[in-house]
Amino acid sequence: MTQNEILDQKEELCGLVEKITYSNEINGYTVATVKSGKERVTVTGTLPFLSEGESVKLVGSFIVHPTYGRQFSAISFERTAPQNAAGILRYLSTGTIRGVGPSTATKIVERFGADSLDIIQNHPEELALIKGISLQKAYSISEEYQKQFGIRDVMLLLTPYEISVEKAAVIYRTLGSDSVEKIKNNPYVLCTGDMDISFEKAEIIASDMGISPDNEMRLAAGIEYILRRNLLNGHTCLPRKKLLSVATQLLESDYYRIDSICDKMLENFIVMTKRIGTEEFIALPEYYHSEEYIAARLSAVCSNIKIADIIDDLEIDYVENKLGIKFEQLQREAVKRAFESGVLVLTGGPGTGKTTTLNAIINLFERRDAAIQLAAPTGRAAKRMTELTGREAKTIHRLLEVEWGAGDKQQFCRNERNPLDCDVIIVDEASMIDSLLFENLLKALRLSCRIIIVGDADQLPSVSAGNILNDILLSEKFPSIRLKKVFRQARESLIVTNAHAIIDNEKVDLSNKGSDFFFMRKPSSYDVCNTVLELCAERLPNAYGFDSLNDIQVLCPSRKLDCGCMNLNNLLQSILNPKKDKEPQLSYKGVYMRVGDKVMQIKNNYDIVWEREGGESGVGVFNGDVGIIEDIDIRGGIVKVRYDDRLATYFTENLSELELAYAVTVHKSQGSEFDCVIIPLFDVPSKLKYRNLLYTAVTRAKKMLVIVGSEAVFADMVENNRKTLRYTMLKEFISENFI
């Protein structure tokens, strides 16, 4: 049952928590037994800091589980503090407060009686009067107690606005012990940072609190909210005039009033300003400083590595013989530049020899005993890099040893104080790297470390904010080699030759049926969808031996409409993994997930635990990772997803981070390659009919590509060379560092 369905049928359950069967400390998901009157009820839900011995009032709904029977599915709760000494002793003795066990609880209640909880919360120094409790421990006990009730207070404040318990826990961890006071003083704080509360929701809360529409806090929050929302469109900044115009409409305020508020925000460094050409741009501080740092750091690397490490033709000839290949001139030039320069950018389309060139560079650096690290933005890209080079490549997050910090912030163990031990780093699929991630990578490198940036400049830019590869290329301040020649073996593939024809706006012969590129014309979206289903379920597996889940990937230009990935996922699931009797399934916003489903993680989550065979474990599943659901435990609220060699553990409240992945958008497929790709090309929205998107989709296919749909739509996309617009500051910062 979804949360909205529960809200429609909400009931109250009051009672004493007798037993905690399961509790996840990270996200608060809990299974408990509550004694209500003479009845014992199994309660499930996100109930952070719920403890045995507490009296609670829960809001939710009774449901009948097909396996475990009658349960109470809770969406919120509040504690009823015990009023007498006996109740307080029972509560404290359960160990619910870290540092207080039965013995300490007895001493506290013997001394303070019914006032014990008030002493713990408001006068913790008095606890130190008890033998065995130091002043430091007294404050620690008070802090732990207030933390538990702090989340409760946030929930009580925000539950009327249908803000979930898990979201309340995130808000508390972000804002701290005085969360409620901060929210009451400025409800718009909820739509800043990582709390992810919509501006519209904050507006409702602020209105209920009597905050005027012309209040300065509201106008400033609106400006910041627009900047943060546009991060989702890839922009690290916005033109000031555009920002103010949008803010004027959103806030229904006077343009000059908004302009004045923006000036105050600049004075207080809430936002930053950058002049690019004749126009002023406004950015959030973290993105301003990120791109400023990237530019300065790349410049510093170039300055630090001034003495060229010369590589001669005889050494390149040696590698040619070792690898059994013959380099063309630009490849030889790239190898030399890798040794002569602090920073090198290597680009090129499919079949142009990027991998061969990289293997030569790696071989020659290894001959000189240089320590080399290989990295890529995603797990699939890193795996592919490993396969092509024969050397281990890691995701950037894994390389930097990401971990979860205070306030739900990611932090990296590798940084300026603990840099990576490498002389050369090669970063593949650089078009996918966003500004903040690249900043953190550079912070973890010594100034003496050479940086080789590899990617295809014609692909789509990163999903997150920034345009790293293109900005570095457009700055023209670093050596860059673009490989253009398509080698003979690659020319035998129509996937490769047609990909180059698309990006060069040349004629693509769609009637030429080769061994790996097929175009199937269909007159309607209905026919397109049916053909895609047939190809995935029967025709391609039967004719070519492709596995429907592991080898075939449907790539859609858009999420919506008939040929979008949302509709196709439902259709493909019904064919490839239909509901089976007595097998568990979970639903989220109308989408069912079952054992055997192909799913994708749609946002970075740094605290999801995974394990590998052999006992290795770690945390972190990242945006774009694709896996298969291996197990669903509805009673325990646990879902197991297999990502290649990692088995990740989810809880039902994390389902919002998973989507079916039989069909995914082209944007989400970046950095991945698939044996067989099917592209439904029919009802494509006008804003998505552009060349780079089609090119990116085509170049995801390794062995076979099937396009199903309209030749006219294909032609429109090839013709439209509109680049994805991204407002960034990096190119300008780089230019300033090289003046």
Side-chain angles (χ1 to χ4, degrees), residues 552-600:
I552 300 173
Q553 183 62 58
V554 178
L555 299 183
C556 306
S558 68
R559 288 178 54 81
K560 299 180 179 179
L561 303 177
D562 291 345
C563 298
C565 63
M566 293 175 67
N567 182 51
L568 278 169
N569 267 321
N570 290 330
L571 295 174
L572 286 164
Q573 183 193 44
S574 68
I575 296 293
L576 300 176
N577 192 30
K579 175 71 172 75
K580 301 177 183 67
D581 290 340
K582 296 183 179 180
E583 285 201 1
Q585 65 177 9
L586 292 167
S587 67
Y588 180 79
K589 293 186 176 179
V591 177
Y592 286 97
M593 292 187 181
R594 304 163 186 150
V595 172
D597 271 335
K598 186 176 183 179
V599 292
M600 173 181 280

Side-chain angles (χ1 to χ4, degrees), residues 111-112 124-135 138:
R111 185 172 187 100
F112 300 109
E125 66 280 356
E126 293 190 29
L127 294 176
L129 299 174
I130 297 173
K131 186 177 181 180
I133 300 180
S134 67
L135 188 60

Side-chain angles (χ1 to χ4, degrees), residues 50-122:
L50 189 69
S51 300
E52 293 176 1
E54 292 187 303
S55 297
V56 293
K57 181 171 76 173
L58 302 124
V59 177
S61 177
F62 280 100
I63 62 173
V64 178
H65 189 276
T67 303
Y68 301 110
R70 187 168 179 264
Q71 301 178 340
F72 190 83
S73 180
I75 57 170
S76 68
F77 80 104
E78 60 179 278
R79 291 178 174 86
T80 305
Q83 300 298 314
N84 56 49
I88 293 172
L89 177 60
R90 182 175 59 207
Y91 166 65
L92 292 178
S93 296
T94 61
T96 185
I97 299 176
R98 192 175 303 167
V100 179
S103 175
T104 303
T106 301
K107 292 177 182 178
I108 292 173
V109 174
E110 283 179 348
R111 185 172 187 100
F112 300 109
D115 296 327
S116 295
L117 296 183
D118 178 64
I119 294 295
I120 291 173
Q121 181 170 4
N122 300 310

Side-chain angles (χ1 to χ4, degrees), residues 326-328 331 351-353 485-492:
K326 183 70 176 176
F327 295 123
E328 58 107 11
Q331 289 179 297
T352 57
K485 180 181 177 180
V486 180
F487 287 90
R488 180 183 60 79
Q489 185 177 356
R491 287 201 303 271
E492 295 173 0

Side-chain angles (χ1 to χ4, degrees), residues 94 167 191 242 246 256 270 284 355 589 669 697:
T94 61
K167 187 67 72 176
C191 55
K242 184 180 183 74
V246 173
Y256 296 102
I270 299 171
L284 295 166
T355 300
K589 293 186 176 179
S669 73

Side-chain angles (χ1 to χ4, degrees), residues 185-464:
N185 289 339
N186 179 11
Y188 295 100
V189 72
L190 293 170
C191 55
T192 63
D194 297 323
M195 288 173 283
D196 200 29
I197 302 298
S198 70
F199 187 78
E200 291 73 19
K201 184 83 73 177
E203 286 272 68
I204 295 170
I205 298 170
S207 176
D208 288 351
M209 292 180 178
I211 294 176
S212 164
D214 195 47
N215 186 287
E216 189 171 308
M217 289 188 305
R218 174 180 180 267
L219 302 182
I223 292 171
E224 183 176 348
Y225 181 71
I226 292 167
L227 288 170
R228 292 198 180 279
R229 290 297 296 176
N230 273 278
L231 296 174
L232 302 176
N233 297 323
H235 306 303
T236 61
C237 59
L238 288 176
R240 178 166 179 155
K241 291 179 181 178
K242 184 180 183 74
L243 171 64
L244 298 183
S245 175
V246 173
T248 299
Q249 293 180 352
L250 172 70
L251 301 168
E252 298 180 346
S253 184
D254 178 71
Y255 181 92
Y256 296 102
R257 169 79 166 142
I258 299 293
D259 190 35
S260 173
I261 296 296
C262 186
D263 282 336
K264 289 186 178 180
M265 294 174 73
L266 288 167
E267 290 172 7
N268 292 301
F269 303 104
I270 299 171
V271 295
M272 309 290 286
T273 181
K274 177 76 178 166
R275 184 161 292 278
I276 301 177
T278 60
E279 196 161 10
E280 182 184 5
F281 285 75
I282 304 296
L284 295 166
E286 60 263 41
Y287 285 88
Y288 180 96
H289 294 307
S290 175
E291 297 197 313
E292 182 182 43
Y293 177 88
I294 291 168
R297 189 57 187 258
L298 291 176
S299 173
V301 170
C302 291
S303 300
N304 190 63
I305 305 178
K306 290 180 178 178
I307 301 174
D309 192 354
I310 304 299
I311 200 89
D312 61 35
D313 288 318
L314 289 175
E315 289 181 274
I316 298 177
D317 293 342
Y318 165 81
V319 174
E320 280 185 333
N321 293 329
K322 182 178 179 180
L323 299 178
I325 55 175
K326 183 70 176 176
F327 295 123
E328 58 107 11
Q329 186 55 41
L330 274 178
Q331 289 179 297
R332 297 179 78 91
E333 179 68 19
V335 173
K336 291 180 180 179
R337 287 296 189 97
F339 284 82
E340 296 170 356
S341 313
V343 177
L344 170 68
V345 185
L346 178 64
T347 69
T352 57
K354 291 198 304 292
T355 300
T356 305
T357 306
L358 282 183
N359 280 329
I361 291 170
I362 293 168
N363 265 275
L364 288 169
F365 272 119
E366 286 179 340
R367 288 192 73 202
R368 300 189 179 196
D369 296 323
I372 305 170
Q373 287 280 9
L374 307 184
T378 67
R380 282 182 172 265
K383 182 179 179 182
R384 177 170 166 264
M385 196 179 187
T386 298
E387 293 168 350
L388 293 173
T389 63
R391 295 158 180 85
E392 183 186 17
K394 298 179 181 179
T395 63
I396 296 175
H397 288 88
R398 185 180 172 201
L399 184 67
L400 300 182
E401 300 173 20
V402 66
E403 62 180 28
W404 199 246
D408 285 358
K409 292 289 186 181
Q410 69 170 359
Q411 59 188 27
F412 297 103
C413 296
R414 294 292 186 170
N415 48 43
E416 298 102 324
R417 295 178 300 280
N418 183 29
L420 293 166
D421 184 19
C422 60
D423 305 306
V424 182
I425 187 165
I426 301 174
V427 187
D428 200 7
E429 295 289 355
S431 62
M432 298 178 61
I433 303 175
D434 61 80
S435 296
L436 296 183
L437 183 58
F438 195 56
E439 174 196 10
N440 280 293
L441 177 61
L442 293 180
K443 285 180 176 178
L445 301 177
R446 296 189 177 96
L447 281 175
S448 59
C449 179
R450 283 182 165 81
I451 303 170
I452 300 172
I453 301 168
V454 186
D456 187 342
D458 292 316
Q459 288 185 20
L460 296 170
S462 61
V463 174
S464 301

